Amino acid sequence: MPDLAAVLWDMDGTLVDSEGLWSITMAELAVHLGGELSAATREELTGSSLRRTASTVLREVGLPDDEAAVDAAGRWLVGRTHEVFSRGLPWRPGAREALAAVRASGVATALVTSTYRKLTEVALDTIGREWFDVTVCGDEVSATKPDPAPYRRACELLGVDPEASVAVEDSPTGTASAAAAGTTVLVVPAGPAVPPGERRVFRDSLEGLTVSDVRLLLSANVH
């Protein structure tokens, strides 16, 4: 089993408690469009891409989800979420300390998020850019989570083998993406339940997480 080469961090729901804020702005989008967003649809969209979110909300309120409508809804959602993110984002329990521990160890790090670059930059004002060697955003890859492209791109930019990397995720969508890319996934659920499967190790929170803990994941029987 290779030594730990990189830790790849999801953002929304993993490092910062922004999924709840996304849920609010998605609901506001539905109201803006003249309808209402169900709780089930909000949960379904956890960790989803911007275009899928906009398209789903449009259909939910009974409007056509053609390209122009999706683009317009997406722009509205990005603008409103930008306002909300600009007020600051609350950390998930133990996330900042875990980031600091990994960074201090010298292990390579990446931020891998479905959030678009414009909003990620706002979030990084809270999180801090110094924790990551590279960042991969949802509008910078050929396909977004659950496709493996975001995590494969992060490993490519870092020059590391996915098999020697650990991704930290909270959602079924992100977990599927990281596992399909070939990484071991540390799952810290924050919303919808993540089903068990290959390459997945579960933990209740990031509190108390050490680099030794992360290294041990690669030798765990998860493949």
Side-chain angles (χ1 to χ4, degrees):
M1 183 64 61
D3 189 24
L4 178 66
V7 178
L8 316 172
W9 302 90
D10 171 55
M11 184 175 76
D12 297 303
T14 298
L15 292 178
V16 289
D17 196 9
S18 48
E19 289 289 7
L21 301 180
W22 271 110
S23 182
I24 292 169
T25 57
M26 285 191 294
E28 289 178 345
L29 172 61
V31 172
H32 171 73
L33 295 171
E36 186 176 349
L37 193 65
S38 69
T41 300
R42 289 194 205 187
E43 182 170 302
E44 175 195 340
L45 291 173
T46 300
S48 185
S49 69
L50 178 65
R51 291 196 68 82
R52 179 170 178 262
T53 297
S55 177
T56 301
V57 174
L58 283 163
R59 293 197 306 273
E60 179 96 348
V61 302
L63 294 176
D65 61 339
D66 56 82
E67 186 171 351
V70 170
D71 286 344
R75 286 194 299 272
W76 191 96
L77 184 58
V78 167
R80 177 63 184 131
T81 307
H82 190 287
E83 293 176 9
V84 174
F85 276 22
S86 295
R87 299 170 191 162
L89 297 168
W91 286 93
R92 293 287 298 160
R96 185 166 188 163
E97 294 78 10
L99 271 175
V102 172
R103 196 61 168 162
S105 75
V107 173
T109 57
L111 183 70
V112 186
T113 177
S114 293
T115 300
Y116 280 18
R117 172 61 64 180
K118 179 179 179 180
L119 292 177
T120 299
E121 288 299 324
V122 178
L124 285 170
D125 289 340
T126 293
I127 299 169
R129 293 165 178 78
E130 68 273 14
W131 303 117
F132 311 106
D133 295 300
V134 301
T135 57
V136 177
C137 300
D139 53 342
E140 298 172 341
V141 287
S142 58
T144 56
K145 302 174 185 179
D147 191 275
Y151 281 102
R152 285 177 178 166
R153 178 59 177 160
C155 289
E156 177 185 331
L157 290 171
L158 291 173
V160 299
D161 183 350
E163 295 264 348
S165 304
V166 171
V168 188
E169 273 284 356
D170 73 296
S171 71
T173 300
T175 300
S177 170
T183 75
T184 293
V185 191
L186 174 58
V187 184
V188 186
V194 177
E198 290 187 340
R199 302 182 179 277
R200 304 174 189 194
V201 177
F202 291 79
R203 186 182 174 100
D204 290 337
S205 84
L206 291 173
E207 291 182 299
L209 183 72
T210 68
V211 178
S212 295
D213 294 332
V214 180
R215 284 195 167 98
L216 285 172
L217 297 180
L218 289 180
S219 59
N221 185 24
V222 295
H223 301 288

